[in-house]
């Protein structure tokens, strides 16, 4: 973590020496998915304002948002009495007509940078990110609740360019003490059309290809096993029917004739025929 802390400290150093400052989009180190379809994450104004004139008083910072247009350079964030404006998202049509206040927080001090050595603690990650960053478009509830009180920070419009400004508020008088320049235009993402999504395997990772191959193989074996089970069940049913028919035929053939039947037996018939032949032969001899 030491190299990261050193790089961060050196990254803030030019800001404390510069004269014309503007809000910057958050580093990929802290916000890997930035911007999104409806949000843009910015770095908080560490060392942007002259610390020698602030003393130990806790100053407040307002963040103003406006859609990028030719009129943004003429947009005002304070009235004639030097009080900051409190225009809302709804009143400015989402920043199309004028800037609206999206967030308000205590000015972070240069010497109060969060300890990045604690970033490995999951319970402290959210606290560290909140100390470094401010996320515009993070509240999807306030714009739908008519009874919401406070600064509303609703989702931004996708595929739209926005510009941002930090304004320093004097806590004693409530006047605008200082302000940054408007930021460079930052555009929210847009949904990629279905036909433009690249499905070529070469753009997929090796792990994804291996997992897909394994799942396909498992599905193939599952289908083969199901087909084999169905065929085996049909074969078993056919063999059982043949065995039943064979057993019924055998049982019919071995059933004995009932006693007292009117049909003569085979032995009695043969004996009667032999006697008849003997009588005929003896009669011929006598003649």
């Amino acid at each position: 973590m030491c190299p990261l802390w050193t790089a961060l400290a050196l990254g803030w150093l030019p800001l404390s020496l510069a004269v014309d400052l503007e809000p910057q989009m958050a580093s990929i180190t802290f916000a890997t998915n930035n911007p999104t379809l409806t949000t843009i994450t910015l770095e908080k104004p560490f060392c942007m304002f002259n610390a020698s004139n602030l003393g130990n008083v806790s100053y407040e910072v307002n963040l103003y948002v406006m859609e990028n247009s030719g009129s943004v350079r003429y947009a005002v964030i304070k009235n004639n009495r030097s009080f900051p404006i409190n225009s809302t998202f709804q009143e400015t049509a989402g920043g199309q007509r004028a800037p609206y206040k999206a967030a308000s927080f205590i000015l972070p001090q240069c010497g109060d940078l969060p300890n990045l050595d604690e970033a490995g603690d999951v319970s402290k990650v959210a606290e560290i990110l909140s100390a470094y960053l401010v996320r515009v478009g993070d509240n999807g509830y306030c714009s739908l609740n008519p009874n919401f009180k406070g600064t509303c920070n609703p989702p931004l419009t996708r595929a739209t360019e926005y510009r941002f400004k930090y304004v320093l508020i004097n806590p004693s008088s409530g006047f605008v003490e200082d302000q940054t320049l408007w930021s460079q235009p930052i555009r929210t993402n847009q949904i990629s059309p279905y036909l433009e999504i690249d499905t070529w395997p070469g753009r997929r990772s090796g792990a994804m290809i291996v997992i897909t191959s394994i799942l396909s193989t498992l599905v193939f074996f599952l289908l083969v096993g199901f087909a084999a089970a169905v065929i085996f069940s049909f074969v078993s049913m056919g063999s059982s029917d043949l065995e039943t028919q064979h057993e019924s035929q055998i049982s019919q053939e071995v059933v004995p004739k009932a006693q007292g039947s009117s049909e003569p037996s085979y032995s009695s018939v043969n004996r009667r025929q032999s006697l008849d032949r003997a009588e005929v032969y003896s009669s011929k001899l006598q003649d």
Side-chain angles (χ1 to χ4, degrees):
M1 298 304 294
C2 291
L4 179 59
W5 174 261
T6 304
L8 182 64
L10 294 176
W12 287 118
L13 183 59
L15 295 180
S16 63
L17 301 178
V19 177
D20 296 330
L21 304 177
E22 60 187 37
Q24 301 290 330
M25 195 164 64
S27 170
I28 192 173
T29 303
F30 304 104
T32 56
N33 185 22
N34 183 39
T36 66
L37 294 175
T38 58
T39 64
I40 295 175
T41 304
L42 304 174
E43 294 177 349
K44 284 189 174 180
F46 280 91
C47 307
M48 279 192 175
F49 302 103
N50 191 351
S52 60
N53 297 332
L54 301 181
N56 296 324
V57 181
S58 297
Y59 279 71
E60 186 179 72
V61 176
N62 289 349
L63 172 62
Y64 290 92
V65 182
M66 185 175 180
E67 284 193 14
N68 185 37
S69 63
S71 60
V72 68
R73 66 183 63 183
Y74 306 109
V76 295
I77 46 79
K78 61 181 179 179
N79 57 24
N80 296 331
R81 300 175 56 190
S82 296
F83 286 106
I85 62 173
N86 292 311
S87 301
T88 64
F89 181 89
Q90 293 84 351
E91 293 172 348
T92 62
Q96 296 180 21
R97 295 193 295 261
Y100 69 91
K101 187 171 72 171
S104 181
F105 52 88
I106 300 299
L107 174 68
Q109 300 297 323
C110 292
D112 294 337
L113 293 175
N115 187 5
L116 293 183
D117 292 335
E118 299 178 350
D121 188 349
V122 178
S123 62
K124 296 183 179 181
V125 171
E127 179 182 354
I128 293 175
L129 293 180
S130 177
Y132 274 110
L133 310 176
V134 55
R135 194 179 189 196
V136 184
D138 197 32
N139 191 343
Y141 172 75
C142 63
S143 60
L144 302 177
N145 183 9
N147 299 321
F148 181 83
K149 303 296 183 182
T151 303
C152 185
N153 184 19
L156 304 175
T157 305
R158 64 188 182 191
T160 304
E161 287 187 344
Y162 290 91
R163 301 182 76 167
F164 308 93
K165 177 189 283 286
Y166 285 129
V167 177
L168 185 67
I169 309 300
N170 189 308
S172 301
S173 62
F175 295 158
V176 173
E177 187 78 18
D178 200 354
Q179 59 183 295
T180 66
L181 300 176
W182 284 102
S183 70
Q184 297 299 314
I186 303 176
R187 185 181 183 88
T188 54
N189 288 341
Q190 62 180 350
I191 299 176
S192 299
Y194 174 74
L195 296 178
E196 294 183 3
I197 298 177
D198 188 3
T199 58
W200 175 248
R203 297 296 298 276
R204 302 295 182 262
S205 64
M208 185 181 297
I209 295 175
V210 171
I211 293 174
T212 304
S213 302
I214 293 175
L215 293 178
S216 301
T217 304
L218 292 177
V219 171
F220 171 78
F221 282 116
L222 181 63
L223 293 177
V224 170
F226 178 77
V230 172
I231 295 174
F232 180 78
S233 64
F234 279 112
V235 172
S236 299
M237 291 175 60
S239 61
S240 62
D241 292 339
L242 292 176
E243 292 177 0
T244 304
Q245 294 177 1
H246 182 66
E247 292 175 358
S248 63
Q249 290 177 0
I250 293 176
S251 62
Q252 290 177 1
E253 290 177 359
V254 300
V255 172
K257 296 291 184 179
Q259 294 183 358
S261 174
S262 61
E263 295 182 3
S265 63
Y266 179 79
S267 59
S268 63
V269 172
N270 290 339
R271 188 179 300 112
R272 184 176 299 173
Q273 290 178 354
S274 63
L275 291 175
D276 291 342
R277 289 177 182 176
E279 290 176 358
V280 173
Y281 182 74
S282 61
S283 64
K284 286 183 179 183
L285 292 177
Q286 293 177 1
D287 293 340

